[in-house]
């Protein structure tokens, strides 16, 4: 069993007096269904699980009316479990495949609020942008992601290493640095897709893990063709396949012209939105000012695209496993891109945060990330190894002396007043249980 951080949110949802039907959002293969089923088994007497995809028994469940008595009767009969308010978790998987399925959540909320209903689907984000949408204010939403580095450590039996990271005992962390770095490089390769992690745990076979990753990429490619027109598929694929090379450039800003000669935003903006809605990419926009709230100062026309998972990045870029697993191998420009993608994929899972990058008006100064975390603004520099030159960050802090910079690198923790160096393997845990200033 892989313990997932999202389980805490699921428990809070179950116990909330204001609970509404739950939508679990996330890319295909991140573990939504498995996590919901495990949560149901742990916290309910019964789990009524129904897969709505190509299921003739329930294909017209909501087609005629929203009579809750009839609907609950059918769900109980199909799942073969009693439907008891508060004791049964109803899971409707791939609900977007049912006609009026998402709209039905409004009536679960209004007419049967005593029942605990959770739904999931691989392309719910896309469905909610293409006509039928879940009613605003009538549902709760939880986002799921691939396993983070700390979840990965727990999955491979290294829970004590996670507890030490969370304790911020930097002296002990320093003594264990080689072990953390070894596991981090493994995570760079394996990533956080549950099936790939499980294959690594069971086999320790790099080529078997890469085969799983390539299979997942093939599933994503299939979704691109199955749910879009031929032209849309072409453009989505062009954007998707270009991300590693776009990030390998010194200026990682996404360029439409890199997709085709004379490429323009109007041709590819829907393709980028599709990938976002499918949960496959993170879009990091430019911030014009490092001020609260960061979204007020976004330049949405300038952005960088990152993949949802570092393992998927390595597979899509076809980086040989040995180059990721062995520290002495030279990854060239891909090392910086991979490291940035790792940091983005960790910080993006934090609730109530905004991530941007910064560049000044004449683009002579750029900061890898600006993070709004609660009421804090953190300018962040990302280093793949122990190169500790921080000229850009130093200049930026001199111009914004009210801020403290963060540098993520393979070097140990150190507080230099104007800037804090945090080991890459602690990039997310630094923001949890942080000692009060």
């Amino acid at each position: 069993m892989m313990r997932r951080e999202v389980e805490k949110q699921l428990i809070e949802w179950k116990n909330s007096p204001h609970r509404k039907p739950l939508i679990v959002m996330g890319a295909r293969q991140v573990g939504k269904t498995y996590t919901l089923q495990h949560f149901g088994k742990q916290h309910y007497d019964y789990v009524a699980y129904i897969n709505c995809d190509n299921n003739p028994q329930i294909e017209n469940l909501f087609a005629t009316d929203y009579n809750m008595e009839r609907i609950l009767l059918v769900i109980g009969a199909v799942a073969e479990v009693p439907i008891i308010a508060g004791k049964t978790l109803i899971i409707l998987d791939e609900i977007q495949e049912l006609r009026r399925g998402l709209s039905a959540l409004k009536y679960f909320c209004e007419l049967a609020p005593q029942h605990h209903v959770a739904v999931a689907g691989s392309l719910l984000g896309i469905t909610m942008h293409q006509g039928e949408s879940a009613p605003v204010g009538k549902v709760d939403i939880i986002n799921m992601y691939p396993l983070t580095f700390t979840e990965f450590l727990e999955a491979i039996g290294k829970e004590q290493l996670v507890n030490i990271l969370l304790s911020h005992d930097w002296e002990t962390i320093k003594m264990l640095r080689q072990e953390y770095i070894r596991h981090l490089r493994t995570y760079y390769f394996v990533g956080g897709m549950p099936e790939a992690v499980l294959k690594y745990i069971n086999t320790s076979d790099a080529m078997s893990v890469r085969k799983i990753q390539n299979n997942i990429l093939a599933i994503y490619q299939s979704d691109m063709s199955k749910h879009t027109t031929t032209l849309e598929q072409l453009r989505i694929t062009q954007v998707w396949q270009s991300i590693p090379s776009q990030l390998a450039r010194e200026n990682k800003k996404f360029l439409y012209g890199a997709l085709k000669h004379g490429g323009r935003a109007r041709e590819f903006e829907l393709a980028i939105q599709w990938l976002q809605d499918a949960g496959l990419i993170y879009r990091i926009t430019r911030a014009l000012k490092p001020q609260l709230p960061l979204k007020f100062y976004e330049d949405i026309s300038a952005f960088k695209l990152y993949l949802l998972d570092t393992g998927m990045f390595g597979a899509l870029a076809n980086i040989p496993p040995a180059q990721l697993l062995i520290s002495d191998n030279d990854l060239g420009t891909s090392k910086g891109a991979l490291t940035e993608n790792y940091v983005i994929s960790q910080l993006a899972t934090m609730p109530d945060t905004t991530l941007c990058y910064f560049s000044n008006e004449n683009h002579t100064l750029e900061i890898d990330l600006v993070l709004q975390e609660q009421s804090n603004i953190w300018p962040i520099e990302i280093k793949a190894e122990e190169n500790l030159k921080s000229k850009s960050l130093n200049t930026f802090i001199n111009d914004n002396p009210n801020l403290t910079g963060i540098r993520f690198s393979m070097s140990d923790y150190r507080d230099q007043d104007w800037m804090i160096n945090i080991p890459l393997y602690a990039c997310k845990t630094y923001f949890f249980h942080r000692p009060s200033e």
Side-chain angles (χ1 to χ4, degrees):
M1 168 56 197
M2 296 180 188
R3 192 191 71 81
R4 303 302 303 269
E5 294 172 1
V6 75
E7 289 175 25
K8 181 180 178 182
Q9 296 180 62
L10 291 173
I11 293 171
E12 292 173 351
W13 169 78
K14 177 183 185 295
N15 296 330
S16 171
H18 308 295
R19 183 194 60 259
K20 302 170 185 175
L22 176 67
I23 296 179
V24 179
M25 303 279 286
R28 188 187 288 273
Q29 300 287 311
V30 298
K32 300 184 298 296
T33 300
Y34 178 87
T35 301
L36 276 175
Q37 288 179 313
H38 177 77
F39 166 70
K41 291 174 184 176
Q42 293 292 110
H43 297 279
Y44 291 85
D45 295 339
Y46 307 99
V47 177
Y49 172 80
I50 295 178
N51 189 331
C52 303
D53 186 17
N54 197 27
N55 187 339
Q57 285 185 291
I58 48 91
E59 61 183 356
N60 294 315
L61 183 61
F62 307 116
T64 56
D65 59 48
Y66 294 116
N67 182 303
M68 283 296 118
E69 184 176 352
R70 175 188 63 80
I71 289 169
L72 292 168
L73 188 65
V74 171
I75 290 173
V78 172
E80 298 183 339
V81 298
I83 305 300
I84 304 173
K87 293 187 177 183
T88 303
L89 175 63
I90 299 169
I91 302 175
L92 301 177
D93 201 7
E94 302 292 350
I95 191 174
Q96 76 280 358
E97 299 298 330
L98 292 187
R99 181 187 170 196
R100 304 204 301 174
L102 285 173
S103 299
L105 298 179
K106 172 184 177 182
Y107 298 93
F108 276 112
C109 178
E110 293 179 347
L111 304 179
Q114 71 276 23
H115 289 281
H116 295 213
V117 179
V119 306
S122 55
L123 297 172
L124 273 174
I126 293 166
T127 305
M128 291 165 68
H129 271 89
Q130 292 183 345
E132 187 177 347
S133 62
V136 177
K138 302 297 182 180
V139 293
D140 295 320
I141 295 176
I142 291 178
N143 292 303
M144 272 199 75
Y145 305 91
L147 276 77
T148 62
F149 178 56
T150 51
E151 288 177 306
F152 173 78
L153 286 176
E154 289 193 2
I156 63 173
K158 301 296 180 180
E159 186 175 356
Q160 192 171 7
L161 290 180
V162 175
N163 293 334
I164 293 170
L165 285 176
L166 289 169
S167 75
H168 294 198
D169 181 353
W170 300 111
E171 286 302 314
T172 301
I173 291 171
K174 182 177 180 179
M175 287 189 286
L176 295 168
R177 73 185 305 267
Q178 291 304 324
E179 187 169 4
Y180 281 119
I181 290 173
R182 177 169 61 87
H183 291 307
L184 180 60
R185 293 195 186 283
T186 301
Y187 179 77
Y188 280 176
F189 165 62
V190 177
M193 305 305 284
E195 189 178 359
V197 175
L198 191 61
K199 179 63 71 173
Y200 165 71
I201 292 171
N202 291 337
T203 69
S204 296
D205 182 350
M207 299 316 297
S208 293
V209 172
R210 178 53 62 84
K211 183 178 180 180
I212 293 292
Q213 293 169 336
N214 286 332
N215 288 344
I216 295 172
L217 289 177
I219 291 171
Y220 291 162
Q221 194 67 52
S222 175
D223 283 340
M224 294 173 197
S225 60
K226 179 180 176 183
H227 298 276
T228 61
T229 66
T230 301
L231 180 58
E232 288 170 338
Q233 177 199 349
L234 173 63
R235 289 173 175 171
I236 292 167
T237 300
Q238 284 178 299
V239 172
W240 175 247
Q241 296 287 347
S242 80
I243 292 175
S245 61
Q246 298 255 11
L247 291 176
R249 293 183 294 103
E250 184 175 354
N251 177 5
K252 297 177 175 63
K253 175 186 171 184
F254 189 86
L255 297 178
Y256 295 103
L259 302 177
K260 73 172 211 178
H261 182 69
R264 295 290 184 268
R266 64 178 179 272
E267 296 178 81
F268 295 100
E269 57 188 8
L270 289 180
I272 292 172
Q273 187 64 54
W274 191 97
L275 290 167
Q276 281 186 271
D277 290 342
L280 300 183
I281 62 171
Y282 299 114
R283 178 173 177 154
I284 307 300
T285 53
R286 177 190 177 205
L288 301 174
K289 293 181 181 179
Q291 296 180 14
L292 291 169
L294 207 53
K295 283 190 174 292
F296 274 27
Y297 304 100
E298 280 185 302
D299 173 11
I300 60 174
S301 66
F303 57 91
K304 304 175 185 180
L305 298 184
Y306 296 87
L307 298 193
L308 77 161
D309 176 64
T310 181
M312 291 294 98
F313 181 98
L316 187 64
N318 199 23
I319 302 175
Q323 285 198 285
L324 294 168
L325 293 166
I326 301 174
S327 60
D328 292 338
N329 282 338
D330 184 15
L331 286 170
T333 55
S334 64
K335 182 187 294 185
L338 180 78
T339 307
E340 281 194 26
N341 207 114
Y342 158 73
V343 171
I344 295 291
S345 69
Q346 305 305 294
L347 299 185
T349 67
M350 292 167 49
D352 303 319
T353 57
T354 303
L355 282 172
C356 294
Y357 77 95
F358 172 85
S359 65
N360 58 9
E361 290 186 10
N362 54 13
H363 302 285
T364 57
L365 176 67
E366 183 166 314
I367 301 298
D368 295 327
L369 277 180
V370 181
L371 167 67
Q372 178 183 331
E373 176 256 343
Q374 299 182 30
S375 59
N376 301 307
I377 294 289
W378 300 96
I380 296 172
E381 190 168 62
I382 302 170
K383 299 288 188 181
E385 296 293 344
E386 292 194 68
N387 177 3
L388 301 185
K389 295 180 181 179
S390 300
K391 182 178 178 181
S392 295
L393 186 59
N394 197 349
T395 302
F396 184 85
I397 296 300
N398 286 336
D399 293 339
N400 300 274
N402 59 312
L403 300 179
T404 300
I406 286 177
R407 179 179 59 212
F408 293 131
S409 76
M410 286 297 192
S411 188
D412 298 318
Y413 175 87
R414 62 174 61 83
D415 189 339
Q416 299 176 222
D417 292 332
W418 67 276
M419 183 270 294
I420 303 169
N421 188 89
I422 299 166
L424 280 161
Y425 41 83
C427 73
K428 181 177 177 181
T429 53
Y430 175 75
F431 297 100
F432 291 88
H433 307 293
R434 189 169 64 252
S436 58
E437 300 294 335

